[in-house]
Amino acid sequence: MNARHNHFTSRTLLVASLSVVLCAQAAYAQNLWEEGRNIAGTAQGAETGQEADAFIGGKFTSGEFRSPSMGKTVWNAVAQAQAVSAYDDLYLTGNFGFDLAYGTQMMGSMFSDPGFYPVDMLEFTPGNKVKQTYSIGGGLAWKNSSAWTPGITVAFQGINYAKRKDLRHTTYRQDFEITPSVHYKADSFEAGLSAVFGKNSEFITAEQVGQAKAESYMAFLDKGMRYGTMQVWDGSGTHLNEPGVNRFPVKQYTYGAALQASFGGFLYADAEYLRTSGEVGEKGYTWFSFPGQSVSAKLIAAIHGDDMAHLIKAEYQWNAMENHETVTEKVTEGGVTTPRVYGSNLVYRHKDMSAGLSYEGAHENGWNVTGGASLEHARDLGTLMYPFFDDDRSLHLILNAGGGAVLGRFLIRANLTFIQKLGEHSHVVDFADDNLGLTSTPFRLQDWWDREQEAQDATRFVLNAAVRYTFNSGIYIEAACNWIHAFKVVLISGNDRQTTGLKLGYNF
Amino acid sequence: MQTKVLILAAALTAVFTGCMDNGEPYVPENLNRLTVKAVYPDGVATKGGATVSIVEVSSATSYSIKTKENGTAVTDIPNGIYRINVRDRNDDYVFNSTRDKVLISDEDVSLDMEMMPSKAGAIVIKEIYCGGCSKAPKEGTYQSDKYVILHNNSLDTEYLDGLCMGTLSPYNSTGANPWLQDGKLPDFLPVIQAVLAIPGSGTDFPVKPGEDAIVALCGAIDHTAEYPLSVNLNLPEVFALYDPVLFPNTTYHPAPGSNVLPQRYVEVVIKTGQANAYTLSVNSPTFILFRAPKTVDIKDYVQQSANQPQVPGGSEKVVAIPPDWVVDGVEVFYGGSTGNIKRLPETVDAGAVTLSETFKGRTLMRKADETLSAEQGYEVLQDTNNSTEDFYERETQSLHQ
Amino acid sequence: MGTVYTPFSYNVYQVPAGYVMPENPTVQVDSQTGMVYFQDPEGYYVPSDLKLTDRSFAAARRQENGADIRRYGVELTVDFPEIKPIRTTFRMDAAWNHTQYTSDISSSLYRDGWSHSSLPGRSYEYAAIYKGGTTVYNGRVTDNLDANLTAITHIPRARLVISVRLEAALLRNSRYTSDKAFTIDEAGNKTGGNIYDGNSYTAVYPEAYMDLDGTVHPWTEASAEDPALQRLIIRSGNIYTFAQDGYNPYFCANFSVTKEIGDHVSLSFFANNFTNARPMVTSRATGVSAIFTPNFYYGLRCRLKF
């Protein structure tokens, strides 16, 4: 699932990732096409055979360096399976995953993946939440006798996310992506082309069933940079409960293409361009539309020494997104209310860019070292209420270093990431025209914004470590931990957040 | 070599800053020019300085500007659906003009606003308490204590006998208004549920200049006995809506307290609704006082099928009241929601007063006109026919002790 | 369920004249007569004063049969032969059905809460009896045409079965009918137009009405002129009650993947409306938009064979 290419990725630096890749040996003989989307390319280098991996596991996350949308404590139970079958003429991949998360003291975003869309919906009563994620995917490449190999991958994800305390909500998310690809092999080079079509959608149904029926719960509709509308949840400004549309639906389509090329097995390059078009509303109501586009490119050089393989990777990514709020009128005629959408106003613009260079050295004995540096530059412009505007710029440096080794039946790996803001995170708040008699500036959820800015800008490190023991039979047991430590945080109530997990798997 | 590196660096910088530029916050192409012209009635000289308030209905973005010498005000605004009010005063009159739901989208708009002089009423609504309060120290919320206070704003003694009252359809300002046709309100006021009237044969209930009368729309009892944040309505000057046949719900309509005289029970002229308690929106009612002209018998009028239109798209019938019968009317908007839509025409109330929160004991009060009160020696309230200007929101009910 | 109304009367009492309510009054109700007594300071019980006697209608529910519904339809299934190179079979099925009913059943309706047409503080004095229900229409005709296309693909080497099903609602037509409704103008006057034009308000007269003595009077043209009875006329809330209604076609797709693991276990993942397609269709009569595709819904199924 590659739909996550919008700007909020930087916010998710907060999110603890436990996926320490434990394939030290694979790094040595890595198929460079695995870096891209083209399954027909991946199929070329694959050795005939079948491989599958399945595991069940659990993890526990706690710590106060968090946004209120994240649980005070979160339990996850995970089951995952993936398989690759390579035949002479056919290459098949498949994967399935299920993740059950149970979080406490959660409020804030009602979206299953806060920040994925440029709009957000927040509520303010802490309570327990349950999230289930199903993912299923597969791919197929047909290695016929010609120089052209066609292939296709399909990925599907369904999420349901619910809170059972007023203001309660049930959220469903669907994410579907299909990538048809073709690969061409010539004597001195290989080239590939992939098309990308995706649709993701999510809807929130909020309700209030508690005894204090007359008590009004507030909800906040974020239209970008935490500027938005704070209202009783069923007020007409939050769009949670409009006549005829008693939910908050968001959908986004992705379409684009990617080009890949490799030369002599040591140089690989790809470039991808995606456009997205998103919309909030349904049944003729369109409250927001949010078009976006992204460019990403990478160049990888692989140098094989006597017993070492060196990978040098340069990556570039650029994202742009806008959010337009429409002018919608509810017209009632003969007792029937229908929406009419007139023009729109551009209320939010975002751009970000990151560029990075990384190195990976893998020894045939199984140990490896990694290191990298990247820069992330982001700009946001909020224009919710003419002539008021808010122009933000930030620059972050991300450094990381890690290593892994095989010690008998043990496999260990550790990785340290360091994030530092460079220069000032500038916020320019001003008016485009001073003589308009604007009676108030747009409402902002200031305390949330301040805390989120602090989280994003805090100097911090993320330590990931994992150890795996493999039994004779192919069964393995793995323990992993993730620790984020932020320095000098004032508004957020803690400096640390940590996750520890255990899993039991089978490799066959 | 060095120059090449520099050129490359410069080119890269240009590309990078170029693709990272978000552009100007606002460009003129995305804005519209709005020209508002205040058109004064014949015989009143055009002048500047009138206040033009422009409110975007769904986002509540609001602008306040003044007209120039020629009576016009010009401004640039983004796309939206606006409610525009122009108000002004000279030595004799207060002028108002309101347009609701003005669509401005990708085109310039010019409006001629007919400034209407308002006539100050004799009997005015002084307070509307509809929002209820907390049951504290108990759990929950309470709304059986709604009341309205009427005030004699004139120099003469007024008689309340036969004064009619009612609330309009739709009950709340935040939903769709089914009566709007092509954006226009009907030429009558749809009084929903029931037409209420003060009893009396003509001179039974005098109100002296500056005096008040209280109308308890639910229970006329001492609500504070059980709920300290509520009010005591067991008072001799209270008119009580107590009709156990038509409004039999005793939670909302308990038997009035010992201080309320049975001859002060509010009459139900007609009831077209089927609820067992009188419903006044807890967050955004309209409330009007009216009197039929002497030639019309209100009891006959309300029974006529032609005067009982049906709510479009609904099955409930209402009573159509001509706007010129209105003595006073107030439009209430709900602050918890945007998208409030006006139900009273500008001739009755050119503005609206906003109730920010329900169940907090908050109430809507008409402002006192300090200068006139001092001159005339009794409490004179401001009545400019624009409740945005005339009313304010008070933290607690004026009857709360 | 039908409702029958029976007139009844009840008394509303008030405190006896001259009686001063003590701090803790004792009130007694005679269980036979319903008379209310107040205890005076000497301990004697004084009867309360009768304020008024209100007459109204009591409702009772009774079971009754609904109107006859006539249905007919056609179904069709086509199984296409397997397309060998991709091991895929297609199946198409379609169904058309037609439904029609007209109700002649008499329904009574009393509007609780209305005020009396002339006496203050009294309940409304008539219950009405309508033929074919208490709405302006008393029948409906509907036509539906649905079609489904299912594709099932086997990938034996991966032991996978993938099925995709496209569901289409090709035709949705309906119309309310009435043999007694007539068109009216906005003021409620009969205009004599065609109710099926869909551009005027409509109304129906009661078949009869019952007064407070329980006497049933047939509705006459004179009744329509009586302001006290006019309130019994049922008016449509809108102008398109009888307009031809229907929706344009809409589609959605389901998929399921079944993986066989060993000889005994098979695991299926299914997702209904997996693209979360929410196409909006607009009612031809009302212009109101609706979404009829099923909810996005998914799950996992594990099958064990022994």
Side-chain angles (χ1 to χ4, degrees):
Chain A
M1 199 84 355
N2 215 338
R4 173 178 283 285
H5 48 69
N6 73 36
H7 64 282
F8 291 97
T9 332
S10 56
R11 265 196 215 161
T12 59
L13 286 172
L14 265 176
V15 176
S17 145
L18 207 69
S19 57
V20 174
V21 181
L22 274 167
C23 42
Q25 286 118 324
Y28 179 68
Q30 196 185 351
N31 180 352
L32 294 177
W33 284 77
E34 280 175 15
E35 297 275 342
R37 289 180 180 271
N38 192 329
I39 189 171
T42 313
Q44 301 302 318
E47 284 174 31
T48 310
Q50 292 182 44
E51 211 184 312
D53 179 82
F55 70 79
I56 54 168
K59 59 185 182 185
F60 176 72
T61 307
S62 64
E64 281 306 305
F65 185 70
R66 63 177 179 121
S67 100
S69 300
M70 297 156 76
K72 184 178 175 67
T73 60
V74 183
W75 277 102
N76 286 74
V78 186
Q80 245 181 54
Q82 56 194 45
V84 176
S85 307
Y87 304 97
D88 289 338
D89 58 338
L90 204 60
Y91 179 77
L92 293 168
T93 64
N95 64 278
F96 173 77
F98 174 71
D99 183 329
L100 175 71
Y102 178 81
T104 60
Q105 297 279 303
M106 295 177 79
M107 55 174 178
S109 183
M110 300 187 195
F111 278 99
S112 64
D113 189 0
F116 185 90
Y117 298 111
V119 290
D120 200 355
M121 186 70 77
L122 275 59
E123 51 82 27
F124 303 96
T125 38
N128 300 345
K129 289 200 194 187
V130 176
K131 179 156 86 175
Q132 292 182 338
T133 307
Y134 293 78
S135 31
I136 185 162
L140 180 148
W142 182 35
K143 296 198 276 184
N144 54 26
S145 48
S146 77
W148 298 87
T149 306
I152 188 166
T153 51
V154 177
F156 180 84
Q157 189 179 59
I159 298 179
N160 52 67
Y161 187 37
K163 180 174 184 177
R164 297 277 173 251
K165 177 180 174 182
D166 284 343
L167 176 61
R168 63 196 65 201
H169 70 92
T170 315
T171 301
Y172 278 89
R173 180 183 173 78
Q174 164 274 348
D175 203 333
F176 177 73
E177 192 174 84
I178 181 160
T179 314
S181 301
V182 65
H183 176 272
Y184 174 76
K185 192 168 190 169
D187 291 340
S188 57
F189 75 98
E190 293 171 51
L193 172 68
S194 305
V196 181
F197 305 99
K199 178 186 179 183
N200 55 74
S201 61
E202 187 155 353
F203 62 83
I204 298 167
T205 318
E207 60 179 333
Q208 184 182 337
V209 299
Q211 277 216 318
K213 207 79 188 168
E215 200 72 49
S216 358
Y217 289 94
M218 303 299 273
F220 176 71
L221 168 61
D222 180 5
K223 303 177 183 178
M225 300 171 79
R226 295 291 186 230
Y227 286 109
T229 306
M230 178 78 137
Q231 258 177 28
V232 290
W233 72 273
D234 50 359
S236 72
T238 65
H239 305 309
L240 275 169
N241 202 5
E242 294 273 343
V245 189
N246 58 355
R247 53 164 142 196
F248 188 77
V250 185
K251 62 170 183 270
Q252 181 179 263
Y253 293 95
T254 307
Y255 37 96
L259 279 169
Q260 307 89 13
S262 71
F263 305 92
F266 65 90
L267 202 60
Y268 170 87
D270 72 21
E272 177 174 283
Y273 178 70
L274 296 179
R275 287 187 82 93
T276 58
S277 70
E279 195 179 291
V280 181
E282 65 184 12
K283 276 195 190 174
Y285 289 92
T286 306
W287 297 305
F288 298 93
S289 59
F290 51 95
Q293 49 183 333
S294 73
V295 172
S296 62
K298 55 178 155 314
L299 181 70
I300 306 170
I303 302 156
H304 284 263
D306 291 341
D307 47 8
M308 272 296 270
H310 308 273
L311 278 184
I312 298 162
K313 197 190 289 188
E315 281 178 287
Y316 173 77
Q317 170 98 34
W318 174 82
N319 299 309
M321 184 171 270
E322 289 180 347
N323 189 17
H324 298 258
E325 184 172 24
T326 57
V327 176
T328 309
E329 188 185 13
K330 280 171 272 185
V331 181
T332 306
E333 267 170 17
V336 172
T337 304
T338 45
R340 277 190 204 154
V341 177
Y342 299 105
S344 65
N345 292 306
L346 180 52
V347 296
Y348 173 61
R349 275 164 269 186
H350 169 88
K351 279 180 178 162
D352 70 66
M353 184 168 69
S354 71
L357 205 60
S358 63
Y359 166 78
E360 182 173 355
H363 193 269
E364 61 176 352
N365 290 348
W367 60 265
N368 69 341
V369 289
T370 58
S374 65
L375 278 172
E376 272 194 18
H377 178 36
R379 287 189 65 170
D380 295 275
L381 179 58
T383 48
L384 189 58
M385 209 176 254
Y386 177 75
F388 174 91
F389 69 89
D390 185 341
D391 191 357
D392 278 27
R393 298 166 197 212
S394 65
L395 183 65
H396 289 87
L397 171 70
I398 298 152
L399 298 174
N400 80 77
V406 181
L407 300 168
R409 291 179 173 279
F410 285 97
L411 216 62
I412 56 169
R413 179 157 178 86
N415 187 74
L416 185 69
T417 306
F418 176 78
I419 301 155
Q420 169 71 47
K421 173 185 72 172
L422 297 182
E424 272 309 298
H425 187 150
S426 80
H427 307 277
V428 178
V429 173
D430 204 351
F431 295 88
D433 185 332
D434 294 333
N435 306 316
L436 280 165
L438 182 67
T439 53
S440 61
T441 54
F443 177 82
R444 177 181 250 187
L445 209 55
Q446 194 66 45
D447 50 337
W448 284 62
W449 170 255
D450 290 342
R451 262 180 298 171
E452 284 163 352
Q453 291 297 295
E454 182 176 65
Q456 201 185 334
D457 288 346
T459 299
R460 60 200 185 277
F461 66 74
V462 184
L463 177 70
N464 282 298
V467 56
R468 176 188 286 196
Y469 181 82
T470 309
F471 298 93
N472 260 341
S473 48
I475 291 174
Y476 63 83
I477 183 161
E478 183 181 316
C481 75
N482 168 293
W483 174 37
I484 302 176
H485 179 81
F487 298 94
K488 290 185 192 155
V489 290
V490 180
L491 304 170
I492 299 170
S493 51
N495 295 64
D496 300 281
R497 186 150 175 101
Q498 53 280 322
T499 303
T500 46
L502 203 62
K503 65 189 185 190
L504 182 68
Y506 183 42
N507 208 320
F508 51 96
Chain B
M1 183 66 197
Q2 267 191 336
T3 28
K4 275 185 186 167
V5 170
L6 277 177
I7 290 167
L8 187 67
L12 276 175
T13 318
V15 168
F16 277 30
T17 50
C19 69
M20 286 302 288
D21 191 4
N22 275 321
E24 285 294 310
Y26 298 95
V27 290
E29 299 85 80
N30 294 341
L31 297 168
N32 313 289
R33 173 131 312 176
L34 170 69
T35 310
V36 175
K37 183 170 199 302
V39 179
Y40 292 86
D42 290 345
V44 179
T46 298
K47 62 191 197 66
T51 306
V52 181
S53 73
I54 304 163
V55 181
E56 208 285 323
V57 177
S58 62
S59 66
T61 303
S62 78
Y63 305 95
S64 177
I65 51 175
K66 301 268 183 199
T67 55
K68 298 250 166 38
E69 291 299 307
N70 59 1
T72 58
V74 179
T75 185
D76 288 332
I77 51 172
N79 292 339
I81 296 168
Y82 294 89
R83 178 166 51 246
I84 298 168
N85 171 261
V86 187
R87 57 185 177 274
D88 195 10
R89 60 165 69 212
N90 63 15
D91 293 341
D92 306 316
Y93 291 105
V94 171
F95 299 96
N96 264 299
S97 184
T98 301
R99 294 277 186 91
D100 202 14
K101 297 190 137 197
V102 179
L103 171 70
I104 302 180
S105 178
D106 301 322
E107 60 176 355
D108 296 345
V109 170
S110 222
L111 295 174
D112 282 351
M113 309 272 289
E114 305 279 341
M115 301 293 279
M116 274 182 283
S118 73
K119 46 178 184 193
I123 298 288
V124 296
I125 297 167
K126 179 183 183 182
E127 178 180 1
I128 296 182
Y129 168 61
C130 59
C133 62
S134 160
K135 280 184 176 173
K138 290 184 189 167
E139 289 266 320
T141 56
Y142 191 62
Q143 54 166 311
S144 298
D145 54 351
K146 294 172 182 170
Y147 67 83
V148 172
I149 298 183
L150 314 180
H151 180 84
N152 182 358
N153 220 24
S154 73
L155 288 163
D156 309 309
T157 297
E158 293 284 330
Y159 296 92
L160 297 180
D161 307 46
L163 180 70
C164 296
M165 299 170 284
T167 189
L168 297 197
S169 160
Y171 287 107
N172 298 322
S173 65
T174 49
N177 187 343
W179 296 97
L180 282 174
Q181 281 220 324
D182 302 324
K184 289 199 167 53
L185 290 165
D187 55 7
F188 55 83
L189 304 178
V191 172
I192 196 160
Q193 189 179 191
V195 170
L196 310 176
I198 303 279
S201 54
T203 52
D204 293 350
F205 301 108
V207 195
K208 293 200 184 99
E211 280 188 354
D212 296 340
I214 302 165
V215 180
L217 293 169
C218 293
I221 56 168
D222 182 1
H223 299 277
T224 58
E226 205 170 350
Y227 307 112
L229 296 177
S230 185
V231 291
N232 178 9
L233 293 177
N234 182 15
L235 304 168
E237 62 266 38
V238 160
F239 291 94
L241 176 53
Y242 178 64
D243 187 325
V245 170
L246 297 176
F247 293 115
N249 185 327
T250 50
T251 308
Y252 287 92
H253 298 281
S258 53
N259 295 332
V260 181
L261 298 172
Q263 51 269 34
R264 293 177 79 99
Y265 290 174
V266 170
E267 268 176 29
V268 180
V269 182
I270 187 173
K271 186 177 169 221
T272 55
Q274 293 193 260
N276 59 14
Y278 186 71
T279 312
L280 184 72
S281 166
V282 74
N283 56 38
S284 56
T286 47
F287 197 77
I288 60 166
L289 308 177
F290 60 96
R291 229 184 243 285
K294 290 207 168 60
T295 52
V296 178
D297 180 355
I298 185 74
K299 290 195 170 73
D300 262 0
Y301 177 87
V302 297
Q303 291 296 340
Q304 299 306 315
S305 173
N307 299 329
Q308 287 182 14
Q310 192 164 314
V311 178
S315 60
E316 192 168 356
K317 292 184 171 108
V318 299
V319 177
I321 298 296
D324 53 354
W325 291 11
V326 172
V327 172
D328 193 22
V330 176
E331 171 107 39
V332 181
F333 280 178
Y334 182 35
S337 175
T338 48
N340 289 284
I341 291 163
K342 268 192 72 66
R343 295 154 289 178
L344 283 175
E346 56 184 330
T347 51
V348 176
D349 183 353
V353 55
T354 299
L355 181 67
S356 61
E357 270 183 300
T358 53
F359 303 115
K360 293 282 179 345
R362 288 174 169 268
T363 191
L364 306 165
M365 290 288 290
R366 193 180 283 275
K367 295 171 189 163
D369 187 326
E370 306 291 347
T371 333
L372 273 179
S373 300
E375 261 173 37
Q376 299 182 6
Y378 61 88
E379 189 186 24
V380 181
L381 302 177
Q382 183 178 318
D383 185 12
T384 69
N385 207 29
N386 181 341
S387 53
T388 313
E389 293 295 298
D390 295 346
F391 273 76
Y392 69 99
E393 185 179 19
R394 211 181 113 123
E395 296 278 324
T396 53
Q397 312 92 327
S398 70
L399 298 180
H400 180 71
Q401 283 162 352
Chain C
M1 287 283 263
T3 309
V4 257
Y5 292 96
T6 324
F8 79 106
S9 71
Y10 63 99
N11 296 334
V12 179
Y13 296 102
Q14 60 190 2
V15 176
Y19 180 81
V20 180
M21 190 74 74
E23 210 38 33
N24 291 304
T26 307
V27 180
Q28 277 198 346
V29 180
D30 187 310
S31 61
Q32 298 300 312
T33 64
M35 190 57 173
V36 182
Y37 297 89
F38 291 87
Q39 195 174 29
D40 69 11
E42 281 84 47
Y44 296 107
Y45 281 96
V46 285
S48 52
D49 287 354
L50 179 67
K51 186 182 178 192
L52 57 89
T53 301
D54 184 43
R55 300 170 74 192
S56 181
F57 293 88
R61 301 286 232 156
R62 68 154 188 236
Q63 292 292 344
E64 58 187 31
N65 290 324
D68 293 345
I69 300 180
R70 290 195 311 172
R71 290 193 181 90
Y72 48 85
V74 177
E75 291 191 14
L76 163 90
T77 308
V78 185
D79 278 307
F80 295 97
E82 187 183 23
I83 301 170
K84 285 268 159 37
I86 53 169
R87 286 179 174 270
T88 301
T89 54
F90 285 93
R91 155 184 280 221
M92 198 195 81
D93 52 282
W96 168 69
N97 61 66
H98 174 88
T99 315
Q100 186 178 1
Y101 81 87
T102 302
S103 169
D104 282 330
I105 297 158
S106 290
S107 309
S108 303
L109 180 65
Y110 175 70
R111 308 271 190 179
D112 267 314
W114 277 7
S115 58
H116 195 278
S117 62
S118 51
L119 304 171
R122 306 292 166 90
S123 300
Y124 186 63
E125 65 268 40
Y126 298 111
I129 300 151
Y130 302 91
K131 189 179 152 201
T134 57
T135 48
V136 287
Y137 59 86
N138 67 339
R140 196 173 188 209
V141 185
T142 55
D143 283 285
N144 292 337
L145 175 62
D146 296 290
N148 303 311
L149 183 69
T150 313
I152 300 169
T153 306
H154 291 262
I155 307 177
R157 275 194 279 192
R159 304 190 68 185
L160 276 177
V161 182
I162 300 166
S163 102
V164 178
R165 179 179 163 93
L166 184 71
E167 298 183 350
L170 296 172
L171 178 74
R172 286 282 178 279
N173 269 357
S174 66
R175 168 176 277 192
Y176 286 106
T177 58
S178 172
D179 44 22
K180 52 176 186 149
F182 50 89
T183 59
I184 53 169
D185 61 15
E186 290 203 12
N189 303 312
K190 213 167 173 172
T191 52
N194 180 359
I195 55 167
Y196 297 109
D197 284 350
N199 55 15
S200 40
Y201 285 94
T202 49
V204 284
Y205 290 143
E207 184 180 26
Y209 59 94
M210 185 192 280
D211 64 19
L212 287 166
D213 301 320
T215 316
V216 175
H217 306 272
W219 184 270
T220 61
E221 283 302 317
S223 317
E225 301 303 317
D226 182 351
L229 289 167
Q230 276 171 346
R231 293 175 80 178
L232 298 174
I233 302 170
I234 289 182
R235 287 187 229 169
S236 64
N238 48 56
I239 58 172
Y240 38 71
T241 311
F242 294 104
Q244 176 66 52
D245 198 3
Y247 295 94
N248 286 338
Y250 52 88
F251 306 87
C252 83
N254 304 337
F255 91 85
S256 81
V257 183
T258 304
K259 165 80 178 166
E260 289 169 2
I261 302 164
D263 292 335
H264 302 299
V265 185
S266 74
L267 202 62
S268 304
F269 176 81
F270 65 92
N272 294 345
N273 190 6
F274 72 99
T275 60
N276 194 14
R278 311 261 309 150
M280 173 185 85
V281 286
T282 304
S283 158
R284 274 178 221 132
T286 64
V288 175
S289 300
I291 292 173
F292 292 114
T293 44
N295 269 337
F296 167 55
Y297 178 77
Y298 50 81
L300 201 60
R301 191 182 307 145
C302 183
R303 192 178 298 143
L304 301 173
K305 270 186 295 196
F306 298 104

